[in-house]
Amino acid sequence: MAPEANPMVFTREQARRIDGAAMEHYGIPGIVLMENASRGLALQALRMLGWPDIRPEAHVLILCGGGNNGGDGLAAARHLHNAGIGLTIVLTHDLGSYKGDAEINLNIVRMMNLNIVEAADDPLAALVHEPPCDLIIDGLLGTGLASPVRPPLDKVIAWVNEQDTPVLAIDIPSGLDCDSGEPLGCAVRATATVTFVGVKRGFLTASARPYLGDVTVTDIGVPRELIEQLGQAMPR
């Protein structure tokens, strides 16, 4: 894991509660939290691409599920585009599945005319025809997953793991159980993971290590008091 200053540890339920508490008790809009998350994500993506010496033809493939992880990926796409990075966004859900803050970012990237592939019917078929890229960003599934990965995303995860391309996971590698660190049928084997607010409890287990890669904890603007209230101290 990357050396972070005293990161806190969060279970699935605590990770769910902290965003809600930040919005309800501190009045921080969810879109602000997503924007902060996406900026940290984009920064790590640029590092993995070799910033500041990125090849002009560098290309990023962003896999966006229908939840907030997909929304984080859509928001990060804006920042990467503004940094001059070529990219393809693959949507694994119908357009109508993107709600709230994720829908806002989807609408923005559509207005920016970024390269979007709508692949809800058969995402694997869309990926098979994608040209080679320099980085895959995994925004398929998040910390809320508590049951085995269902088709067709299980096949998408298998495809990701077959590639030689570095993979950056958003918050948690898709398919990894937040609390146990065990794959839920299958899980993305990431090169690096940008996780938000604090470390997820499952990250501390030996079973999670083959999937996480290098872990960086990114601040998304949640008040420290709330983090300390809901999180747990890192075991020594």
Side-chain angles (χ1 to χ4, degrees), residues 169-215:
I170 301 176
D171 203 24
I172 187 170
S174 291
L176 195 69
D177 187 277
C178 179
D179 289 346
S180 71
E182 296 285 345
L184 291 165
C186 61
V188 166
R189 292 181 179 269
T191 309
T193 299
V194 171
T195 195
F196 306 130
V197 183
V199 171
K200 308 310 182 280
R201 185 168 72 180
F203 291 10
L204 305 181
T205 65
S207 57
R209 290 173 191 157
Y211 301 92
L212 295 170
D214 295 326
V215 177

Side-chain angles (χ1 to χ4, degrees), residues 69-84:
N69 277 45
D72 295 332
L74 290 164
R78 295 189 285 105
H79 300 302
L80 292 173
H81 170 77
N82 289 342

Side-chain angles (χ1 to χ4, degrees), residues 208-223:
R209 290 173 191 157
Y211 301 92
L212 295 170
D214 295 326
V215 177
T216 301
V217 178
T218 292
D219 171 31
I220 65 171
V222 172

